[in-house]
Amino acid sequence: MDLLSIIIPVYNEEDNIQLICEQIDLQVKDNYEIIFVDDGSTDSTFYVIEEQSVRDHRVKCISLSRNFGHQNALMAGMKNAAGEIIILMDGDLQHPPSLIPSMIGSINDGFDLVHTFRRKNKNGSAIKTITGRLFYKFINSISDTRIEPNVADFKAFNRKVLNSILKFKEKELFLRGIFSWIGFKSTTLSFNAPPRLHGQTKYSFGKMMRLALKGTTSFGFKPLRIALLLGMFISITAFAFAVFALVAYFKGETVPGWASLIIGIMLLGGTQLLAIGLIGEYIASLFIEVKDRPVYLIDKTVNIEPEH
Ligand code: UDP
Ligand code: MG
């Protein structure tokens, strides 16, 4: 039987580690390894994993030197996975291990990539549900690659897909987008996400916003195009207005006209700032890519040799 690699990024999930290991062991009968990526946890997450891995050599850990974020932690796990089938899941039991057998089933049926779909998000916070929905609406209206809402970072795929993902050298990683961009034969399974068992969500509103911007600028140039079109439209209007104003001036019909002036200035100023801001986002992305810094650094590992 092929080796299965289960990659779980964890950031301060000390109470969930043992539970998730037990649940996975109940579900998976094949040969597997669990790679925890400790994303700079400040609680005892690493020690709980270490304890677990002494008892069970299939439990491995890559501990990053600080918090690098969920997406980069996933990347660290994928670079070090040895399996033929790879599963990505969260460490807070919101991604039910009971779905794993059907995910593996789909891979064995010939699918390269299995996405999962969160049927109902019982995460509690209404704000999060609404901002999440807005986030995907926004991204899909401006991005060239469609990104399905509610598609979780809970996925299974084979080596072929993993190798393709590892070819991406982007620093500003937006995995959800990349997984839909790469193609391959894929299917989607759905699940109900239970509420978080222990600990708190690490995706604050600010982090969601940053992810949204990353998703925007890493998938196409539509936002820049919108800024350009808006700028063109306003310039043409302003030109027409100028002709009208000149004619009125020579006819001697001019009035103080403070209102139109101020509206014109504000409109133009606003769109210019908008366009500059957008360009700034792209330049910032370029800057990050050009610096070519590593997206994560490994501090120590347990039961696994880190890649070079
Ligand atoms: N996570 C991480 N690094 C971070 C934030 C989160 O490794 O900077 C992990 C976290 O421990 C969890 C998964 O990513 O296993 C998903 O995070 P969370 O449950 O907080 O997100 P939510 O389900 O609320 O969207
Ligand atoms: Mg969660």
Side-chain angles (χ1 to χ4, degrees):
M1 200 60 216
D2 289 338
L3 179 67
L4 170 71
S5 295
I6 302 173
I7 297 168
I8 312 178
V10 281
Y11 179 46
N12 295 345
E13 306 278 5
E14 54 185 5
D15 296 325
N16 293 321
I17 304 291
Q18 210 189 335
L19 264 167
I20 204 166
C21 288
E22 284 168 12
Q23 291 204 13
I24 287 173
D25 200 56
L26 280 178
Q27 297 294 339
V28 184
K29 296 293 158 234
D30 310 328
N31 185 16
Y32 71 85
E33 61 172 4
I34 300 178
I35 303 178
F36 283 107
V37 184
D38 171 25
D39 189 15
S41 298
T42 50
D43 64 358
S44 57
T45 298
F46 177 76
Y47 302 101
V48 178
I49 300 171
E50 204 176 26
E51 222 177 87
Q52 193 76 21
S53 57
V54 170
R55 261 177 279 151
D56 186 346
H57 285 271
R58 296 172 299 182
V59 176
K60 306 173 179 182
C61 183
I62 298 167
S63 184
L64 305 184
S65 63
R66 65 167 167 86
N67 180 257
F68 280 93
H70 181 216
Q71 308 264 307
N72 295 329
L74 282 174
M75 209 61 194
M78 288 194 279
K79 276 221 176 101
N80 290 284
E84 279 307 310
I85 300 178
I86 292 91
I87 288 184
L88 310 181
M89 68 191 293
D90 284 0
D92 57 0
L93 292 163
Q94 285 194 297
H95 294 164
S98 54
L99 197 68
I100 294 178
S102 9
M103 292 167 91
I104 298 173
S106 297
I107 299 272
N108 288 335
D109 284 346
F111 288 102
D112 296 311
L113 176 56
V114 182
H115 300 282
T116 64
F117 175 83
R118 220 179 302 124
R119 236 181 270 132
K120 235 188 209 142
N121 193 354
K122 293 199 199 105
N123 219 348
S125 140
I127 286 258
K128 199 158 167 155
T129 316
I130 293 168
T131 49
R133 216 174 285 159
L134 281 177
F135 165 60
Y136 282 105
K137 259 227 165 83
F138 175 66
I139 277 210
N140 280 324
S141 66
I142 54 177
S143 138
D144 300 324
T145 304
R146 181 160 171 81
I147 295 156
E148 294 297 330
N150 284 327
V151 167
D153 288 313
F154 184 25
K155 295 184 192 303
F157 44 88
N158 56 19
R159 236 317 114 187
K160 192 165 63 181
V161 169
L162 177 68
N163 290 339
S164 312
I165 293 286
L166 292 180
K167 283 204 182 110
F168 286 81
K169 300 296 175 215
E170 289 169 43
K171 309 291 165 187
E172 294 252 273
L173 211 62
F174 185 63
L175 279 179
R176 277 173 215 193
I178 285 177
F179 272 113
S180 81
W181 187 90
I182 54 170
F184 292 107
K185 195 173 173 217
S186 66
T187 180
T188 304
L189 301 177
S190 59
F191 70 94
N192 288 321
R196 219 171 207 290
L197 212 58
H198 298 285
Q200 293 207 328
T201 175
K202 279 95 200 173
Y203 269 107
S204 58
F205 184 69
K207 260 196 183 167
M208 290 272 286
M209 276 310 286
R210 244 168 289 150
L211 192 68
L213 264 179
K214 197 187 271 188
T216 311
T217 54
S218 65
F219 275 91
F221 290 92
K222 253 195 209 167
L224 276 180
R225 222 172 295 147
I226 292 168
L228 185 75
L229 286 176
L230 207 65
M232 268 161 65
F233 174 74
I234 286 175
S235 304
I236 291 168
T237 317
F239 182 73
F241 185 75
V243 172
F244 163 77
L246 268 179
V247 170
Y249 174 78
F250 283 117
K251 278 187 177 167
E253 289 170 357
T254 41
V255 284
W258 180 81
S260 53
L261 208 65
I262 203 76
I263 290 172
I265 289 172
M266 278 165 70
L267 215 63
L268 280 172
T271 36
Q272 277 173 358
L273 280 180
L274 186 90
I276 292 172
L278 274 174
I279 294 170
E281 281 298 323
Y282 285 96
I283 294 178
S285 294
L286 277 176
F287 181 58
I288 287 168
E289 298 298 333
V290 165
K291 277 192 296 184
D292 202 24
R293 286 191 181 165
V295 295
Y296 61 84
L297 292 170
I298 295 174
D299 176 21
K300 54 196 166 194
T301 60
V302 184
N303 285 350
I304 189 169
E305 279 294 312
E307 97 276 4
H308 300 293

